[in-house]
Amino acid sequence: MFRHVRIKNKLALVMTALSCIVIGIFSTLFYLQFEIALKERVLLQLSSVKKLKVVQIENVINSRVEAIKHLLAQSDSTYNQQFFNSVVYLKSPGSVHINSYELTLPDTLNQGNIFIKDLSPENDEGFATLAFMAYNSGQYLVCIDTLTEIQSILLERTGLGQSGESYLVGEDYTMRSTSRFFPDKNPTTILARTSGAVRALRGETGEGIILDYRGVSVFSAFEKIAINGLEWVILSEIDYQEALFPLKSLRRNFYIMLVIMLAFVLLASYQLARLLVKPILRMEQYLNTMSRGVILEPQKDVDRNDEIGGMFRALDKLTTALQQTIEFAGRIGEGNFSANYQLLSEEDTLGAALLQMKQKLRDYQKNEERLLKENQQSIINGEEQERSRLSKEIHDGLGPLLTSLRLSIQAIPLEETHKKQLLKTLDDTITETRRMANNLMPSVLEDFGAGEAIKNLVIQLDQSSPLDIRYNQDTLEESKIPQKVNIVLYRIAQEALNNAIRHAQATEIRLSLTEFDEHVSLFISDNGSGFDQSTVLPGNGLRNMRERARLVDGSLVIYSDANGTSIEVEIPF
Amino acid sequence: MAFIKIMIVDDHQLFRGGIVSLLSKDEDIDVIGEASSAKELFHALKSKQPHVVLIDISLGETDGLETILKANDSHPNIRFIVLTMHAEGQYVVKAVRNGAYGYLLKNADEKELIEAIHNVFEGKKHFNEEISQLMIGNMAMEGEPHKNLSKREREVLKLVSNGKTTKEIADQLFVSTRTVETHRVNMMKKLKVQNTAELIKKAAHLKLI
C-alpha cells in the first residue's frame, strides 16, 4: 500500500509521523514530570497548611491547659469566664452531670495531671467541645469549653484554593469541625473514616491522594494531634480535580500546541518533501525522455553536494557517456569504421557490443571490399588473360600461316612485279597482324616486363609523331616486378600517353619507370591543356587507371592544371 | 656438294616445310634435320652435327632464346640464327646476348635468308639494317651494370650535390618528387649515412660524384 504512495507524500508522512512521535514523547515526558512536580507541590503546600493549623490548634488547646494550671494554682473566677463555658470543682471522681454533658472522671487522675476528654459528639451543634479534668490536693476540677477558635482556624482557607479545606476528625471518625461542603450539617454526624484519618490515628504523619469522606478523590495531608489524652486528627485536603487544574490547562495548551505544530510540521514537511522531490521528479522526466531515445544536454546547473547532486552528476555522466556512445554509433552508421571509442568501464556492455558491431561491420566491409576487389581483379585478369591468349593466337597461329604463305609465293614462278605486289600486300597483312597482336598484349610485356614494353611504346610514338617524348627507364636487370603489376603499369602508361596526345594535345611528354626494392613508381607528365578532375568525362580511362592501380593496392595521384598534367603511380609488390 | 648443314627448329610444320623447300634451291645448304621443340632439337643433336640452326623464339612451351644459351654450353660449335616474327629490340638484344649469330624476321626475303646462313657459316654475324636499328634503339636506353649505386641514383646524387631541390631533380629526371625522395633514402641506406650532408660527403669520398 505504502509503495504506491508518491514519494513526496511518503516523505511528508514520515516526517510528520516522526515529528508527532517526538512531540508526543517529549510532551508526555514533560507532562508526567510536570504532574509529579505539581503533585509534590500540592502535597507540600497541604502539609505546610496542615502544620500551621496543627500549631494553631495546639496553641488553642494548650492555652486552655495553661489556664487550667493557672486555675489549679489559684481559683480566679474571671479567668474562668474568659476561657471556659463552665468550671466545676468536685470532691470525688465518678460520673458527673454538667450542662447536659455526661462524663465520668477517671480515678487515675494524679496530682497535677490534666486529662482532656472530647465531648463534641454530645454537643447539640456538634461543635468541638472539650472537657479538661484535673486533680489537685483532694479536689477535682472539670472545665468544659466549646473551642470556637478552632472552627475559625480551620475555616481560614488560605492556600487551599476553591475546594480545599482543613478539618478535624475525632477518635470515632466523625468530624469535629464544620464541613465546607455540608456547612449546615452537624459535623459529628459526618463519618470521615478515610484512609488518611485511619492512618493518622495510628500515629502516622503523611500525605497522599485518597478518597475523602465524600468519596471524592483528594490530595490530603494528615497528622494526629494528641494532647493529654485527646486524640484528634487534622486533615488538610484539596480536590484532586482542582489541584491538578494547571495540569488540565497544560494539557489543553499542549493539545493546541500539538495541533499548531502538527499543522506547521505538515506544511513544512510537505514543502520540504516537495523541495526534495522536485529534482527527483525532474530526474524522472529526464529519464523518461531518455527512455524515449531523446538524449538531453547534460545538466550544468547541479552544484549540490548531497546525494541528489550526486544523482544528477551521475545522470550527467550517463548522458555524456550515452552521447559519446550515440556519436560513436552514428559514426559507425555513417560507415566511419575508423571511429574510436573508449569503453566507459569493464562492464560497458553497450559500448562493447558497439565495438563488436563495428568490428563485425568492418570485417564485413573488408570482406566485401576484398570480394569486390577479387571480382574486379578476376575480371581484369580474365580480360588480360584473354587478350594474352588472343595475342598469342594471332601471333603464333596466324603469323606462321602468313609467313608460310609468303614462302610459298616466293617459291612460285610469277612475273616479278606481280610477285612484289603480292608480297607487299602479304607483308602489310603480316605487319597488321603483328600490330593487332601487339595491341592486344605485347609479347615484350610478358617476356621483358613493363619497362621494356613502355620503352617500345615510347619509341613507336617518337617515330610516328612529332612529339618530344622522353622516357627514363630505371628497372633492374632482373626485374622483380610481378606480371600483374607489369600489366597494370603498361596499361596505365598506355592510357596516360593516349590522354596526353589525344585529349590534352601535349607536345612534350616525360615519363619514367623506377623500380625499387619493394615498390615501383611510374611518373608521366605532359605540357597539355590539363583537365578538371571533377568534371572530366568518363571514358577517357581515368577511372580505369585508378581502378587498375587500386586493385594491386597501388596509389595513383593526378595533378592537372592549364600547364599540363602529371600522374604519379606507386605500386607495392 | 652441299657443305652447310643446317637444322630448322619451329613449331609450325608448314613453315618448316616452306623453309626447307626454299633452301633446297641452294646447293651449298643441306637441311639435315627439323625439330618442333627444344627437346626434339637436343635429341636430334645427339646423332647429327649441323653448322647452323635456324630457330624460332616461340616454340610453344619452350623458348628459343633459352635454347640457344643451353646449346652454346653443350654444342659450342653450332651457330644459331633466330628466325622469328618478333620485331622488337628486346628480343634482338637477348638473342645477341645469348650468343645468336643472326636475327631474321620471318618475312625476310629468301635471298637474305640464304645470305645470312652463308655469313654465319663463315663465322660472321648477320644483323641487317632493320634489326641493327632495333638493337641500337634498345641499347641506347640500356642501364649500366648495377654497382653499389644505380645509374639513376648516381644521377640523383649528382644533382643533390649540385644543390638542386627535389622538385628540380624530379623535373629534370621526369620522375615524381616521391621517387626522388625514395632514391635519396635508399642511397642513405646503402651508404649507411643519416642525412643528405653526410651522403654527399661520403659519396665524394667514394668518388661516386
Side-chain angles (χ1 to χ4, degrees):
Chain A
M1 183 61 221
F2 190 67
R3 286 175 44 205
H4 303 301
V5 180
R6 299 184 58 174
I7 199 165
K8 182 169 66 177
N9 301 339
K10 261 185 218 177
L11 270 173
L13 261 170
V14 168
M15 282 194 271
T16 310
L18 279 176
S19 313
C20 280
I21 289 168
V22 170
I23 293 171
I25 288 172
F26 275 101
S27 308
T28 309
L29 279 176
F30 184 75
Y31 179 86
L32 289 175
Q33 212 49 41
F34 187 81
E35 190 182 33
I36 290 165
L38 189 66
K39 282 177 180 174
E40 272 180 2
R41 239 205 58 209
V42 169
L43 289 173
L44 199 70
Q45 196 179 345
L46 284 174
S47 300
S48 58
V49 167
K50 173 208 73 183
K51 199 78 210 161
L52 189 70
K53 304 281 188 231
V54 167
V55 170
Q56 285 176 323
I57 288 167
E58 279 179 344
N59 280 344
V60 169
I61 295 169
N62 281 331
S63 69
R64 299 291 191 278
V65 172
E66 288 304 313
I68 300 274
K69 284 179 179 168
H70 195 85
L71 277 178
L72 285 177
Q74 53 188 60
S75 44
D76 184 343
S77 54
T78 55
Y79 196 76
N80 302 345
Q81 292 305 316
Q82 199 183 332
F83 282 103
F84 305 105
N85 304 120
S86 47
V87 177
V88 180
Y89 290 94
L90 293 170
K91 287 288 176 225
S92 59
S95 294
V96 70
H97 213 83
I98 303 168
N99 295 355
S100 79
Y101 297 111
E102 293 268 355
L103 60 125
T104 312
L105 275 122
D107 45 13
T108 51
L109 278 172
N110 301 328
Q111 179 67 34
N113 246 0
I114 297 165
F115 181 71
I116 301 173
K117 189 169 171 24
D118 186 359
L119 293 178
S120 314
E122 290 168 48
N123 182 287
D124 295 339
E125 306 291 331
F127 291 151
T129 308
L130 297 179
F132 300 84
M133 294 171 260
Y135 170 77
N136 192 21
S137 42
Q139 64 170 349
Y140 295 88
L141 175 62
V142 178
C143 302
I144 294 175
D145 191 30
T146 302
L147 307 171
T148 46
E149 311 103 294
I150 286 183
Q151 194 56 47
S152 52
I153 286 169
L154 291 175
L155 280 176
E156 173 53 53
R157 290 200 354 259
T158 312
L160 287 179
Q162 294 291 317
S163 61
E165 63 171 340
S166 300
Y167 59 92
L168 290 169
V169 174
E171 279 175 282
D172 59 355
Y173 295 112
T174 59
M175 288 175 68
R176 292 290 177 267
S177 57
T178 313
S179 162
R180 240 198 93 210
F181 305 101
F182 314 112
D184 304 326
K185 241 183 158 178
N186 180 336
T188 53
T189 62
I190 300 171
L191 187 66
R193 199 191 184 92
T194 64
S195 66
V198 172
R199 280 164 65 193
L201 265 180
R202 263 194 248 130
E204 271 183 59
T205 300
E207 61 267 319
I209 297 162
I210 58 167
L211 293 174
D212 73 349
Y213 57 90
R214 295 168 298 149
V216 174
S217 187
V218 293
F219 283 87
S220 175
F222 44 83
E223 194 174 329
K224 189 160 119 179
I225 301 173
I227 302 169
N228 301 19
L230 172 69
E231 288 199 343
W232 274 353
V233 171
I234 181 164
L235 297 101
S236 288
E237 295 182 340
I238 187 165
D239 277 12
Y240 186 89
Q241 287 287 345
E242 193 202 347
L244 291 189
F245 183 74
L247 210 55
K248 248 191 190 160
S249 64
L250 177 77
R251 209 164 17 188
R252 204 185 55 234
N253 287 346
F254 265 159
Y255 285 144
I256 291 166
M257 208 169 69
L258 204 65
V259 167
I260 291 169
M261 269 176 123
L262 258 179
F264 175 76
V265 162
L266 251 169
L267 243 137
S269 57
Y270 194 77
Q271 284 297 332
L272 194 63
R274 245 189 47 192
L275 266 177
L276 281 174
V277 168
K278 211 163 136 190
I280 294 177
L281 289 176
R282 223 172 40 194
M283 169 80 65
E284 189 188 15
Q285 243 176 357
Y286 282 137
L287 289 174
N288 273 331
T289 35
M290 269 167 77
S291 69
R292 288 204 310 272
V294 183
I295 304 299
L296 296 163
E297 272 305 299
Q299 278 290 302
K300 291 287 176 226
D301 62 336
V302 180
D303 48 0
R304 313 169 54 148
N305 275 327
D306 57 3
E307 291 82 346
I308 287 179
M311 197 161 77
F312 271 95
R313 279 192 294 278
L315 180 70
D316 234 21
K317 267 194 202 155
L318 178 66
T319 48
T320 312
L322 268 176
Q323 271 178 327
Q324 279 175 1
T325 313
I326 285 166
E327 200 183 321
F328 175 60
R331 287 217 297 275
I332 293 176
E334 287 162 7
N336 173 11
F337 298 137
S338 60
N340 248 328
Y341 178 74
Q342 208 54 50
L343 279 185
L344 301 171
S345 73
E346 294 278 308
E347 300 84 19
D348 180 5
T349 45
L350 176 62
L354 277 172
L355 279 174
Q356 201 183 9
M357 185 171 94
K358 179 182 100 168
Q359 196 50 50
K360 280 267 181 294
L361 278 169
R362 196 199 259 157
D363 292 349
Y364 180 75
Q365 197 193 33
K366 271 210 178 113
N367 204 30
E368 204 180 24
E369 273 174 3
R370 192 177 52 78
L371 280 173
L372 189 69
K373 203 160 141 181
E374 277 173 7
N375 278 344
Q376 288 167 317
Q377 264 173 344
S378 72
I379 287 169
I380 287 202
N381 289 347
E383 194 180 289
E384 292 292 350
Q385 269 167 14
E386 192 58 19
R387 286 180 157 198
S388 166
R389 200 182 59 78
L390 266 172
S391 173
K392 282 198 175 71
E393 291 256 295
I394 292 168
H395 198 281
D396 301 341
L398 205 52
L401 285 174
L402 291 169
T403 48
S404 304
L405 185 60
R406 198 177 190 280
L407 290 174
S408 306
I409 290 169
Q410 276 185 314
I412 296 167
L414 269 173
E415 202 259 315
E416 200 57 32
T417 48
H418 269 213
K419 207 180 201 177
K420 271 216 165 99
Q421 221 172 3
L422 259 178
L423 288 176
K424 170 83 175 63
T425 309
L426 196 52
D427 281 345
D428 287 351
T429 309
I430 289 170
T431 308
E432 187 58 24
T433 308
R434 288 187 56 250
R435 201 188 55 77
M436 277 166 69
N438 214 49
N439 277 356
L440 279 167
M441 171 81 74
S443 51
V444 171
L445 179 58
E446 292 187 272
D447 293 334
F448 297 93
E452 296 297 329
I454 292 171
K455 179 163 74 185
N456 290 353
L457 208 57
V458 170
I459 291 169
Q460 204 186 316
L461 276 173
D462 196 25
Q463 288 166 350
S464 65
S465 64
L467 270 175
D468 173 10
I469 179 163
R470 292 190 210 167
Y471 171 56
N472 231 337
Q473 183 189 349
D474 188 20
T475 50
L476 302 179
E477 197 74 18
E478 291 294 319
S479 173
K480 292 185 186 67
I481 305 172
Q483 195 49 33
K484 62 174 184 178
V485 178
N486 274 323
I487 293 172
V488 169
L489 290 166
Y490 181 76
R491 295 292 179 212
I492 291 175
Q494 244 186 332
E495 195 65 60
L497 287 168
N498 191 37
N499 285 346
I501 297 161
R502 286 255 189 92
H503 300 291
Q505 284 86 39
T507 56
E508 272 181 26
I509 299 176
R510 300 281 177 268
L511 67 164
S512 69
L513 185 75
T514 314
E515 181 181 350
F516 293 100
D517 287 342
E518 284 172 341
H519 78 273
V520 59
S521 143
L522 172 69
F523 177 80
I524 303 135
S525 72
D526 65 60
N527 65 345
S529 55
F531 60 92
D532 181 351
Q533 291 179 67
S534 57
T535 61
V536 72
L537 296 165
N540 68 346
L542 263 191
R543 245 187 77 184
N544 205 352
M545 285 200 278
R546 283 190 194 285
E547 203 54 20
R548 281 181 183 271
R550 193 177 68 80
L551 289 178
V552 286
D553 302 321
S555 68
L556 184 142
V557 184
I558 300 177
Y559 304 97
S560 187
D561 58 26
N563 301 322
T565 303
S566 69
I567 299 174
E568 291 179 15
V569 186
E570 295 230 334
I571 299 172
F573 55 79
Chain B
M1 178 63 203
F3 51 88
I4 305 174
K5 295 177 184 165
I6 73 158
M7 264 193 203
I8 303 166
V9 188
D10 194 296
D11 55 345
H12 286 87
Q13 212 224 306
L14 191 64
F15 181 74
R16 288 204 306 270
I19 292 290
V20 168
S21 64
L22 186 144
L23 292 178
S24 60
K25 292 175 187 170
D26 191 285
E27 300 170 341
D28 301 335
I29 296 168
D30 186 8
V31 180
I32 60 163
E34 294 178 30
S36 67
S37 68
K39 208 173 147 189
E40 280 180 30
L41 169 68
F42 284 114
H43 183 72
L45 288 180
K46 284 177 183 171
S47 52
K48 293 165 185 166
Q49 282 292 323
H51 298 111
V52 177
V53 175
L54 300 178
I55 189 166
D56 192 1
I57 291 177
S58 329
L59 293 170
E61 289 307 294
T62 44
D63 178 352
L65 298 182
E66 294 302 317
T67 310
I68 295 172
L69 202 57
K70 266 168 79 178
N72 280 345
D73 278 348
S74 51
H75 306 81
N77 297 325
I78 301 173
R79 293 168 188 165
F80 284 89
I81 295 175
V82 175
L83 184 58
T84 181
M85 284 282 287
H86 288 293
E88 283 99 359
Q90 286 84 0
Y91 293 101
V92 181
V93 171
K94 194 170 176 183
V96 172
R97 277 201 195 146
N98 289 6
Y101 269 66
Y103 193 106
L104 287 172
L105 294 178
K106 281 183 174 178
N107 56 353
D109 287 340
E110 58 183 307
K111 216 170 78 199
E112 195 187 354
L113 177 60
I114 287 164
E115 190 188 334
I117 292 171
H118 276 273
N119 280 342
V120 168
F121 171 74
E122 286 163 21
K124 295 179 198 156
K125 300 210 168 175
H126 183 97
F127 299 99
N128 70 12
E129 183 62 22
E130 187 190 357
I131 299 298
S132 301
Q133 281 303 321
L134 283 177
M135 193 162 34
I136 290 158
N138 197 277
M139 292 293 239
M141 298 200 173
E142 278 289 301
E144 279 182 31
H146 201 68
K147 285 190 188 170
N148 192 6
L149 293 189
S150 71
K151 177 168 159 263
R152 182 81 59 234
E153 279 170 343
R154 268 181 288 152
E155 269 180 75
V156 172
L157 188 53
K158 195 157 176 281
L159 293 168
V160 168
S161 67
N162 291 346
K164 290 267 199 301
T165 64
T166 301
K167 182 81 186 80
E168 285 168 334
I169 297 168
D171 284 347
Q172 193 161 334
L173 301 178
F174 27 100
V175 296
S176 67
T177 51
R178 269 174 77 178
T179 298
V180 176
E181 280 311 311
T182 312
H183 277 309
R184 195 201 300 254
V185 169
N186 284 351
M187 284 191 283
M188 293 200 288
K189 273 189 203 156
K190 280 182 182 175
L191 298 184
K192 297 185 178 63
V193 292
Q194 299 300 320
N195 56 47
T196 308
E198 281 180 33
L199 176 68
I200 294 167
K201 218 165 100 184
K202 185 144 188 185
H205 177 70
L206 293 172
K207 302 225 171 11
L208 290 168
I209 44 174

